[in-house]
Amino acid sequence: GFSSWENVNERIKLHEQSKSHVNSILGARNFRSENACIDHCIEQQLENSKQYWVNVLRRVVAVIKLLAQRAMPFRGDDEVLGSVHNGNFLGILELIAQFDPFLLNHLQQYGNAGRGVPSYISSTIVEEIIQLMADKVHATIVAELRRAKYFSVSVDSTPDLTHADQLTIIVRYLLRGEPVERFMTETIDFSDCRGQSYDNASNMSGKYTGMQARLRDVNPFAFYIPCTTHSLNLVGVSAADCCVVAVSFFGFVQQLYTFFSASTHRWSVLKESLGKKGLTVKSLSETRWSARADAVKALCAGYNCIKTALLDIKSDDGQNGTTRHDADCLAASMGTLENAFMSDFWNVILTRYNDTSIQLQSTTCDLKLAIDLLESLHTFTNDLRTRFDEFEARAVDASGTAEYLSVALRSRKRSKRYDDSTLSPEDEVRLTGRDKFRVETFLVVIDQLQSSLRKRIDAYSHVRDVFAVLSCFSELDNDEIRQRSLKLAETYPSDLRADDLANEMVHFVDFAKTRGCHTPSSLAMLMYMEDLHSTFPNVSIALRIYMSLMVSNCSGERSFSKMALIKSKLRSTMTDSRLTALELLSIENDV
């Protein structure tokens, strides 16, 4: 140091050359470097802490996603690690921790820490993550819907376990050349809706005051399409209730199931009699006609084995009198030609109707495919008229008798008044035996099936005519394609330009035929795969509208099945917002 300003420059130069100054400069330079900075140390600590919690969240989110996708419960009776009652969420984390040292260390450090200590494994954070994931899935669906623009909607409701009415909304739109149906949780712009589909309940399908009529008042382009699967079920219901013999037959099928299922001993006798056939009697259902198909199929396949089981129970002295009497009555019913005939007859009908219904329930099914399936089913039903002898021959083999019940019954004579101008009892035509069964049962069931099916098919005639240029393009010449295109453009004047659509359709149909496309779904996929939206913009819009038309509301029914899994007896107190979020994550698990 120095105490005088004289010769200060020399003293500064001397200091600059000193060892202490040089060491100080080097120290300052090192201090200013990145690795030695205090801020860098703090940032590094923050980054390490951030990465730690990110790693925790990755594991937590993975477990939440697993449980949500499979509609499984999260919480148990407590939230204590190590408890056997802490629920699936903590239980799975404990299982993973057995093979993951990082998660094991986290659970040991933060587990059972109580309130005020962040651990990311508490029920509070789980609920927040569930809602965030549901919001993300919903945002993705909304983004897809906006890109697709056109959609159709289906609405349905059902009471949940707590008797609260739950509403479901399903939207259908075209995504990457294929139709998809998504579960929605909030309102959307209804102006782009081009179709609506509900079951046949009057409050939904009513043409004057039903929901479809009210929505058409708001958006006249939202065409109503009755649910094809519900319509097909109603066809079956009407046929099963059209004559006494049909009603009696299905009652007999239910009695068989009730009799065998009421006792483990009877059920074991039945299984022993059936052997390795793999089929057994099943219960009927008023709404699920697939259950009737399964029940009748099992009866038809194991007819003789079931009858043998009944006879074994009848002759078993170890059974009480009531059981033996019931077995005797059921065995006698199986010995009738009518029941043997009806089991084979209804098995053929219900198998075809059930397989058709399963295809109609597919989200990829479009309007043309649905109508073609129903038309072919109508043709198949009509063909059954010529197969009476075939059914009768098999029924004789199964029942062991060739005589109908009406032959053994005494015919009733109708009393006649003196002023009655009708035919006398001697002149009346009385059918008995084979002819009576054929005319009053066999043909009646077929007539009812055909008339009901034709009525249901005709309900789609208007929409089918509007989109005939897309559904029947392979059968039309160029002039007909132009005429049909103009009609379609007149129906949607705000979406399509008439002359442009006509010219584009003629061009696109010729191009599509060279690629082997003959259905609307193949046209939509060709449009997407070859990226032809800018080349045929009006055709692209028409296809998006057509493929978005919903032909069934089975996706809504499936959402109710998910709801029953999520809001179960042990989870009946969850809020509607949590139920909606979990249902969205489970239904749209692919998103």
Side-chain angles (χ1 to χ4, degrees):
F2 59 93
S3 58
S4 173
W5 287 100
E6 296 179 2
N7 303 322
V8 65
N9 292 333
E10 295 180 1
R11 298 299 300 272
I12 290 176
K13 290 179 181 180
L14 181 64
H15 174 73
E16 288 176 349
Q17 298 172 3
S18 67
K19 183 178 180 179
S20 60
H21 179 73
V22 172
N23 290 338
S24 298
I25 293 297
L26 292 176
R29 183 173 298 172
N30 291 335
F31 181 79
R32 288 195 300 270
S33 69
E34 182 178 355
N35 293 333
C37 181
I38 293 178
D39 292 345
H40 171 75
C41 295
I42 296 175
E43 290 177 0
Q44 187 63 44
Q45 292 176 2
L46 290 174
E47 184 63 29
N48 292 339
S49 178
K50 174 184 174 181
Q51 192 60 43
Y52 176 87
W53 292 110
V54 167
N55 289 332
V56 173
L57 274 175
R58 288 184 186 278
R59 291 157 173 81
V60 170
V61 169
V63 175
I64 292 176
K65 185 167 68 171
L66 173 72
L67 295 175
Q69 285 178 333
R70 287 159 176 75
M72 297 173 64
F74 283 76
R75 297 195 295 269
D77 295 334
D78 56 51
E79 296 184 50
V80 180
L81 289 173
S83 171
V84 295
H85 304 293
N86 56 16
N88 291 328
F89 174 70
L90 292 180
I92 293 177
L93 287 179
E94 290 177 324
L95 176 63
I96 297 174
Q98 295 180 23
F99 310 96
D100 185 352
F102 174 83
L103 184 58
L104 177 61
N105 177 71
H106 177 74
L107 295 182
Q108 291 175 346
Q109 184 176 357
Y110 292 96
N112 302 331
R115 293 182 177 273
V117 179
S119 63
Y120 286 179
I121 61 174
S122 67
S123 60
T124 303
I125 195 67
V126 168
E127 296 303 318
E128 185 175 347
I129 293 175
I130 289 174
Q131 190 60 54
L132 289 172
M133 293 171 66
D135 292 343
K136 181 65 175 178
V137 171
H138 183 264
T140 302
I141 295 174
V142 171
E144 291 177 354
L145 188 58
R146 287 175 178 171
R147 288 195 299 270
K149 185 176 173 64
Y150 303 106
F151 65 92
S152 60
V153 65
S154 174
V155 180
D156 203 354
S157 66
T158 189
D160 61 17
L161 189 68
T162 60
H163 307 289
D165 195 49
Q166 298 290 346
L167 185 73
T168 184
I169 302 175
I170 304 294
V171 293
R172 176 187 173 104
Y173 52 91
L174 196 64
L175 177 66
R176 293 187 286 273
E178 292 184 339
V180 296
E181 296 180 3
R182 300 293 195 194
F183 177 72
M184 287 295 293
T185 59
E186 64 180 44
T187 56
I188 49 181
D189 186 7
F190 191 67
S191 62
D192 291 327
C193 181
R194 293 296 178 266
Q196 47 180 322
S197 179
Y198 318 109
D199 57 25
N200 291 272
S202 59
N203 63 329
M204 305 297 289
S205 61
K207 62 174 64 177
Y208 300 111
T209 59
M211 183 173 180
Q212 66 105 350
R214 295 178 182 274
L215 293 184
R216 286 293 298 274
D217 291 339
V218 178
N219 183 356
F221 302 117
F223 286 117
Y224 169 62
I225 301 176
C227 174
T228 54
T229 52
H230 279 87
S231 297
L232 196 58
N233 276 355
L234 291 176
V235 171
V237 170
S238 64
D241 195 46
C242 67
C243 63
V244 175
V245 177
V247 174
S248 176
F249 169 72
F250 284 107
F252 163 70
V253 174
Q254 183 63 35
Q255 287 174 2
L256 276 178
Y257 173 79
T258 302
F259 176 77
F260 282 109
S261 63
S263 168
T264 56
H265 173 71
R266 298 176 216 165
W267 193 266
S268 63
V269 172
L270 175 64
K271 291 186 64 176
E272 182 179 354
S273 180
L274 289 171
K276 297 182 179 180
K277 290 183 177 295
L279 295 174
T280 187
V281 292
K282 293 179 173 62
S283 178
L284 303 182
S285 172
E286 291 296 330
T287 56
R288 293 177 61 253
W289 270 74
S290 60
R292 295 192 176 229
D294 294 339
V296 176
K297 180 180 179 180
L299 173 61
C300 185
Y303 199 88
N304 290 326
C305 296
I306 296 173
K307 184 162 63 173
T308 300
L310 290 170
L311 293 175
D312 291 342
I313 296 174
K314 170 194 171 183
S315 59
D316 186 0
D317 294 335
Q319 301 294 318
N320 59 48
T322 302
T323 299
R324 297 173 63 185
H325 173 265
D326 291 343
D328 184 29
C329 293
L330 290 173
S333 297
M334 294 196 71
T336 63
L337 184 59
E338 285 85 350
N339 275 337
F341 186 103
M342 294 296 279
S343 66
D344 187 20
F345 175 56
W346 275 108
N347 179 48
V348 172
I349 292 176
L350 290 176
T351 298
R352 290 291 85 228
Y353 274 64
N354 185 50
D355 291 344
T356 302
S357 178
I358 291 174
Q359 181 60 42
L360 293 175
Q361 295 173 32
S362 172
T363 57
T364 59
C365 183
D366 59 61
L367 184 62
K368 173 179 170 52
L369 178 58
I371 295 177
D372 288 347
L373 286 172
L374 294 178
E375 289 283 7
S376 61
L377 197 59
H378 186 273
T379 303
F380 170 80
T381 305
N382 185 59
D383 182 64
L384 292 176
R385 294 176 181 276
T386 63
R387 299 176 60 184
F388 182 84
D389 294 339
E390 174 188 340
F391 290 123
E392 185 182 50
R394 291 202 292 262
V396 170
D397 293 337
S399 64
T401 180
E403 187 174 279
Y404 291 88
L405 283 177
S406 58
V407 174
L409 297 177
R410 185 180 66 179
S411 59
R412 294 182 178 180
K413 293 184 179 181
R414 182 175 60 87
S415 60
K416 184 180 179 181
R417 298 180 180 275
Y418 72 94
D419 59 345
D420 192 349
S421 61
T422 59
L423 293 174
S424 63
E426 293 76 14
D427 297 329
E428 289 182 354
V429 177
R430 290 194 181 93
L431 299 176
T432 59
R434 184 178 190 272
D435 293 334
K436 180 179 179 65
F437 182 79
R438 181 177 179 274
V439 173
E440 297 183 1
T441 300
F442 178 75
L443 294 179
V444 168
V445 172
I446 293 178
D447 288 342
Q448 185 63 40
L449 285 171
Q450 281 199 284
S451 61
S452 299
L453 198 55
R454 174 50 57 191
K455 177 182 177 182
R456 300 298 173 181
I457 294 174
D458 291 342
Y460 307 102
S461 59
H462 174 66
V463 180
R464 177 174 52 182
D465 292 341
V466 170
F467 291 95
V469 67
L470 295 175
S471 60
C472 306
F473 66 92
S474 59
E475 306 168 6
L476 306 177
D477 57 32
N478 289 345
D479 290 337
E480 290 175 325
I481 289 176
R482 289 189 178 93
Q483 293 175 2
R484 297 287 187 174
S485 299
L486 294 175
K487 182 177 181 180
L488 177 59
E490 291 174 358
T491 307
Y492 299 101
S494 61
D495 301 314
L496 302 171
R497 300 178 63 179
D499 293 337
D500 292 342
L501 176 62
N503 294 329
E504 289 178 19
M505 277 300 303
V506 173
H507 184 186
F508 185 66
V509 166
D510 182 70
F511 171 75
K513 288 179 178 179
T514 63
R515 298 300 183 93
C517 299
H518 302 286
T519 61
S521 59
S522 62
L523 292 183
M525 182 55 67
L526 176 65
M527 181 74 70
Y528 168 73
M529 295 298 295
E530 302 295 340
D531 194 16
L532 301 174
H533 304 286
S534 59
T535 308
F536 305 99
N538 286 274
V539 176
S540 175
I541 293 174
L543 283 172
R544 277 185 285 161
I545 294 176
Y546 177 80
M547 295 302 294
S548 70
L549 295 178
M550 191 174 293
V551 296
S552 77
N553 60 348
C554 293
S555 294
E557 301 288 347
R558 296 187 188 101
S559 70
F560 295 148
S561 299
K562 286 291 185 181
M563 181 190 69
L565 293 175
I566 296 170
K567 195 168 184 178
S568 61
K569 182 178 180 180
L570 298 178
R571 308 169 72 188
S572 59
T573 58
M574 71 170 59
T575 62
D576 286 342
S577 59
R578 186 174 190 267
L579 173 63
T580 301
L582 289 175
E583 195 166 357
L584 180 62
L585 293 176
S586 180
I587 295 172
E588 305 301 343
N589 56 74
D590 60 319
V591 179

